Amino acid sequence: NLKTSKYTVKKSAKKLTVKATLKNGKKAVKSKKITLKLNGKKYSAKTNAKGIAKFTVKKNVISKLKAGKKYTMTVTYIKNTIKTTLKVKS
């Protein structure tokens, strides 16, 4: 099971940390590669012992996003893909 949340970020933010959780039933799945796609950029991270992968979106990427707009983020593990939204505030 792959899970993530909806996120909101200010356009002036220095960074955004996006978390995705990978579990097999109630058991965390560690050391698996998960990818995140946002606005044409691709990030990858490995899950930790708790099954959490953290992606850091840097300031230069956030500053290119338009305030007041919602962006779709796609989180993928093998063939399991989920979508969530990122709302940008001014």
Side-chain angles (χ1 to χ4, degrees), residues 4-86:
T4 190
S5 306
K6 289 182 180 179
Y7 289 88
T8 303
V9 68
K10 278 192 169 186
K11 195 165 165 63
S12 60
K14 287 189 170 77
K15 68 177 184 176
L16 167 70
T17 303
V18 177
K19 291 180 189 174
T21 308
L22 182 63
K23 289 189 175 181
N24 187 352
K26 288 186 177 183
K27 193 176 174 208
V29 182
K30 65 179 182 175
S31 299
K32 297 295 178 193
K33 186 181 164 191
I34 296 179
T35 57
L36 168 76
K37 275 187 193 169
L38 168 64
N39 205 26
K41 282 221 175 251
K42 200 172 183 181
Y43 303 87
S44 64
K46 278 194 172 178
T47 55
N48 64 16
K50 293 179 182 172
I52 300 169
K54 290 182 186 179
F55 306 94
T56 303
V57 180
K58 294 192 170 141
K59 185 178 179 161
N60 62 344
V61 176
I62 297 168
S63 66
K64 289 178 186 169
L65 303 176
K66 291 182 181 163
K69 199 172 172 197
K70 277 187 180 177
Y71 291 86
T72 301
M73 293 191 292
T74 311
V75 180
T76 308
Y77 169 67
I78 304 177
K79 289 183 180 176
N80 188 353
T81 300
I82 55 171
K83 287 185 178 179
T84 187
T85 55
L86 171 65

